[in-house]
Amino acid sequence: MKERLQELKQEALVKVKEATTLKELQDVRVAYLGKKGPITEVLRGMGKLSKEERPVIGELANTVRQDIASALDEKKESIEAEALEKQLAEETIDVSLPGRPAPVGGPHLLTSIVEEIEDLFIGMGFEVREGPEVETDYYNFEALNLPKGHPARDMQDSFYITEDILMRTHTSPVQARTMNAIDGSKSVKMICPGKVYRRDTDDATHSHQFTQIEGLYVDENVRMSDLKGVLDRFAKQMFGEDREIRLRPSFFPFTEPSVEMDISCKVCHGEGCHVCKKTGWIEILGAGMVHPRVLEMAGYDSQKYSGFAFGMGPERIAMLKYGVDDIRHFYTNDIRFLKQYHKA
Ligand code: PHE
């Protein structure tokens, strides 16, 4: 029996040595020290031994058990320590490595331009307003002195939703909405940026959906010179102090007189070149003095109050400012195009 025990011990110790994982080690533990293991079996057979032999074998069996158990424990510790070492080595962080830059986006060129224009007018005391893109025929046309059947409605081909509801063709309805919302004894000084829609075929200079910024200033004694002064400041701040503006007579049903504003060409400064098609000037926006009938319809006394209004296309402004040659670039969202305008 003694030999059997010694044999088992040797066997077990070899297996412990060979084990490389905790799982293998556990298997050895169960195999040798478990209830169904060979040592337990030896102990069970002790009844057959003589009185003298019993304590000797008993003691030996216990030592063998203990030796195996401590070998197992030691090995367990070393496997665990090794695993920890390995994990630490794998998870080492080299704090001296340069960081990986996280890609950050930036505002769309159109957003930047609109915000720049907003800031500029806020600086001159204008408030920023908004209005609905789905508009009634009344506000889009009628309240702007464009009754049904008026030929000037054809200037803006429209997307109708019902007979009386359409996608707004310009931001001018917000003029009427703003004036209507207050009583006719208050002054108004606002700009309104927003999307507008026209039934145009898309090409380099047309888009069925584009952006406008409307401006409106109504008060006692607002004059054409006020309009000119505000527009001149806008043009110089936007395009450079060396730029000149000129107002050309034009027609809009909701302004009288109506003008179109040009700025001097930045390439030839008015001499005439290919950029300005030899005219020396580039058209920027439409404007005029608010038509007395528009004031009256909105509840203002046109004898006492006057105002100016203007409407511009930020896409066109951005195209001129940055030399963008196709309005579709604003809407196709090619990241290579947009990235060029991200400010660092
Ligand atoms: N609403 C006009 C357009 O879209 C622009 C404009 C606005 C003209 C305000 C005069 C005054 O063409």
Side-chain angles (χ1 to χ4, degrees):
M1 232 176 215
K2 259 189 198 163
E3 291 80 53
R4 177 74 184 129
L5 282 170
Q6 292 296 2
E7 235 176 67
L8 285 172
K9 177 176 157 182
Q10 288 318 318
E11 235 179 77
L13 292 183
V14 169
K15 292 249 167 76
V16 169
K17 220 177 177 183
E18 283 169 0
T20 51
T21 66
L22 290 176
K23 166 86 176 61
E24 280 169 26
L25 211 55
Q26 181 60 13
D27 290 346
V28 176
R29 189 185 291 272
V30 171
Y32 286 88
L33 305 181
K35 277 193 196 123
K36 291 177 189 152
I39 296 178
T40 318
E41 202 145 291
V42 171
L43 289 171
R44 259 192 221 121
M46 282 204 349
K48 289 182 206 137
L49 294 174
S50 68
K51 251 188 187 166
E52 294 75 31
E53 272 180 313
R54 223 176 279 163
V56 182
I57 296 294
E59 203 189 324
L60 180 63
N62 275 335
T63 344
V64 166
R65 278 186 80 99
Q66 267 162 24
D67 287 352
I68 296 174
S70 53
L72 279 164
D73 288 348
E74 248 174 61
K75 182 73 183 207
K76 186 171 176 237
E77 260 177 48
S78 88
I79 289 178
E80 280 171 351
E82 216 172 280
L84 184 65
E85 282 294 310
K86 202 172 154 219
Q87 195 183 0
L88 284 174
E90 274 169 7
E91 290 177 7
T92 309
I93 295 169
D94 182 351
V95 289
S96 68
L97 275 178
R100 261 181 240 126
V104 272
H108 194 283
L109 172 57
L110 198 49
T111 309
S112 310
I113 271 283
V114 169
E115 282 176 0
E116 196 179 338
I117 298 172
E118 279 178 10
D119 284 348
L120 205 154
F121 281 100
I122 288 169
M124 290 193 272
F126 287 76
E127 279 175 35
V128 180
R129 291 288 170 86
E130 276 180 7
E133 288 170 33
V134 180
E135 190 50 285
T136 58
D137 184 274
Y138 177 78
Y139 279 117
N140 196 79
F141 289 129
E142 214 130 327
L144 296 168
N145 198 27
L146 271 149
K148 287 206 163 71
H150 193 292
R153 282 193 179 207
D154 295 346
M155 282 162 76
Q156 302 179 356
D157 269 342
S158 322
F159 288 117
Y160 274 91
I161 289 165
T162 67
E163 210 164 299
D164 286 315
I165 296 173
L166 72 162
M167 301 308 290
R168 68 177 174 196
T169 56
H170 51 179
T171 44
S172 299
V174 187
Q175 286 186 37
R177 282 184 174 275
T178 309
M179 288 189 283
N180 254 4
I182 54 177
D183 73 64
S185 65
K186 293 209 175 82
S187 67
V188 177
K189 205 173 181 188
M190 69 92 184
I191 57 164
C192 166
K195 293 191 179 87
V196 300
Y197 303 81
R198 289 194 197 174
R199 251 182 57 192
D200 276 331
T201 306
D202 293 359
D203 62 22
T205 53
H206 294 85
S207 173
H208 61 281
Q209 182 259 297
F210 58 103
T211 316
Q212 280 194 339
I213 298 181
E214 192 79 10
L216 174 71
Y217 177 30
V218 176
D219 206 339
E220 294 179 37
N221 299 319
V222 177
R223 289 171 302 188
M224 190 101 182
S225 52
D226 297 314
L227 171 64
K228 195 170 180 187
V230 164
L231 293 181
D232 188 52
R233 192 83 298 277
F234 159 74
K236 288 191 160 64
Q237 217 155 312
M238 202 67 199
F239 295 102
E241 292 295 329
D242 57 338
R243 306 296 280 274
E244 298 293 332
I245 66 159
R246 77 173 181 190
L247 302 181
R248 266 183 302 109
S250 185
F251 172 77
F252 300 102
F254 32 91
T255 46
E256 180 59 37
S258 301
V259 294
E260 254 161 289
M261 181 185 100
D262 299 338
I263 55 163
S264 56
C265 176
K266 78 165 175 208
V267 178
C268 64
H269 294 279
E271 294 291 307
C273 68
H274 71 282
V275 173
C276 53
K277 298 192 190 108
K278 304 253 188 283
T279 63
W281 297 92
I282 294 165
E283 188 193 316
I284 294 280
L285 53 78
M289 301 308 289
V290 182
H291 197 292
R293 210 172 298 152
V294 172
L295 287 173
E296 296 284 345
M297 276 189 278
Y300 278 85
D301 177 355
S302 65
Q303 294 296 315
K304 199 166 160 206
Y305 284 88
S306 54
F308 67 67
F310 57 83
M312 67 177 92
E315 286 92 345
R316 180 164 171 77
I317 309 275
M319 285 167 87
L320 290 169
K321 188 163 166 150
Y322 297 111
V324 179
D325 59 4
D326 195 319
I327 194 172
R328 289 169 292 197
H329 284 315
F330 293 98
Y331 296 103
T332 41
N333 288 329
D334 184 331
I335 199 79
R336 292 166 302 180
F337 167 77
L338 297 174
K339 264 190 177 167
Q340 298 176 80
Y341 303 99
H342 287 177
K343 292 184 184 117

